[in-house]
Amino acid sequence: MNIFLYLLTVLIWGTTWIAITFQLGVTPAPVSIAYRFWIASAILMVILLVSRKPWWPPRQAWPWLFAQGIALFCLNFLCFYYASQWVTSGLEAVVFSTAPLWNAINGRIFMGRPIKPQVMAGALLGLGGIVLLFAPQMAGHWHDSHTLLGLALTLGGTLCFSCGNLLSSRMQSMNLGLTPWLTNAWAMLIGATTLGVAALALDMPFALDPSPRYLGALLYLAIPGSVIGFTAYLMLVGRIGPDRAAYSTVLFPIVALTISTFYEGYHWTAPALAGLALVLAGNLLAFLPPLRRPNPLKSY
């Protein structure tokens, strides 16, 4: 089940990067994000009601739900949508692939969880691989103020994503029946409504781009990208922990590159192949059972 959830998350979220670019243009980013999560939240609510599962969170969960909604389904996506104006998807992927590191560090700071050396080693291998994959796109951009702003927003979005991971992990460990189906439904509604109120206050237009390209991307991002993707990922967070679950973020660019190979003529180079090898090695190291030192006392 862990492998299935992991691969499902990688395949779905690895393709949402290109779908997000289809939404840029006519409709303001906050409005696009709000519609995406309003649709996803409504679908999750229907699933909960039809399956006769608990749909109203207990009182103790509301502060955590509001925090997750703002971090994961509001600020996280705002940062990435606006960063895409100045930063290529490759550069965004490089920064976003540091999520396992931030999950491990934040888990240690805020939840007292030990940092596993094997997990950190795998994260560093994966990050090194992503850098090799996207090194050509990074060259020549470091002195551009807009690029630096885009990178700062991407880092901010990654940190918000990490916070949302930890909040989900905390709620699933509270023994209150807070499944990802339930918490996602309400956290998405909270995040979308926050964005909607802000867009209304800033007098942003709520009319959707009527093009099939935009509407198709909206439905894809709302249903597979949000309902299925976030539920599978946060179930994985609850099963194996936020640090190991976040390794799926390291593989997203690999899926994006595969799509680019067929549709955009991406050419694989020797550094790119070496980067792919490092990414796979990092993921394998992260999911292997922890290495145990033999106990010399057992020989007596």
Side-chain angles (χ1 to χ4, degrees):
M1 178 59 72
N2 290 344
I3 294 174
F4 171 75
L5 293 172
Y6 185 84
L7 293 177
L8 183 64
T9 302
V10 169
L11 290 174
I12 291 177
W13 279 359
T15 56
T16 55
W17 293 92
I18 192 168
I20 287 174
T21 64
F22 294 165
Q23 290 202 303
L24 301 176
V26 177
T27 305
V31 176
S32 292
I33 301 169
Y35 276 120
R36 169 182 177 175
F37 289 122
W38 274 327
I39 294 172
S41 175
I43 292 173
L44 285 171
M45 291 287 188
V46 170
I47 292 174
L48 289 172
L49 291 173
V50 170
S51 61
R52 297 184 179 181
K53 294 180 179 179
W55 65 276
W56 186 261
R59 182 170 54 86
Q60 305 95 307
W62 284 104
W64 302 95
L65 287 172
F66 271 94
Q68 187 189 37
I70 298 300
L72 191 55
F73 301 114
C74 178
L75 297 179
N76 168 36
F77 283 91
L78 273 180
C79 287
F80 280 108
Y81 268 72
Y82 281 110
S84 62
Q85 299 178 60
W86 305 295
V87 179
T88 64
S89 61
L91 285 171
E92 284 189 303
V94 169
V95 179
F96 191 62
S97 67
T98 63
L101 292 171
W102 294 114
N103 278 1
I105 293 170
N106 290 334
R108 174 62 178 172
I109 294 173
F110 298 108
M111 304 182 72
R113 292 177 174 173
I115 297 179
K116 302 173 183 177
Q118 187 172 332
V119 171
M120 294 299 288
L124 292 174
L125 278 177
L127 180 57
I130 294 298
V131 170
L132 282 176
L133 280 165
F134 292 105
Q137 296 186 41
M138 296 170 66
H141 291 286
W142 297 108
H143 301 293
D144 184 353
S145 60
H146 286 156
T147 299
L148 294 177
L149 176 59
L151 287 173
L153 286 171
T154 307
L155 177 59
T158 305
L159 290 173
C160 290
F161 176 82
S162 175
C163 290
N165 287 194
L166 295 177
L167 288 165
S168 176
S169 177
R170 176 69 178 87
M171 285 189 286
Q172 291 183 64
S173 67
M174 291 171 68
N175 296 322
L176 295 174
L178 295 172
T179 65
W181 297 94
L182 175 61
T183 58
N184 280 355
W186 287 99
M188 286 179 180
L189 179 61
I190 291 167
T193 304
T194 301
L195 287 167
V197 170
L200 189 64
L202 295 173
D203 200 25
M204 292 182 177
F206 276 74
L208 292 176
D209 182 349
S211 68
R213 179 187 176 100
Y214 177 91
L215 296 177
L218 175 62
L219 291 177
Y220 183 78
L221 291 169
I223 301 173
S226 299
V227 174
I228 301 175
F230 269 103
T231 301
Y233 177 77
L234 294 179
M235 285 176 66
L236 196 61
V237 167
R239 294 171 68 92
I240 66 175
D243 49 355
R244 298 178 71 195
Y247 276 92
S248 57
T249 66
V250 179
L251 283 182
F252 296 165
I254 307 301
V255 178
L257 277 179
T258 302
I259 294 173
S260 181
T261 300
F262 290 101
Y263 292 98
E264 298 176 339
Y266 177 83
H267 297 289
W268 288 89
T269 62
L273 290 172
L276 176 60
L278 284 178
V279 169
L280 296 176
N283 275 265
L284 180 62
L285 181 60
F287 277 90
L288 284 175
L291 299 177
R292 297 181 180 180
R293 296 180 179 178
N295 187 351
L297 296 179
K298 289 185 177 181
S299 61
Y300 292 98

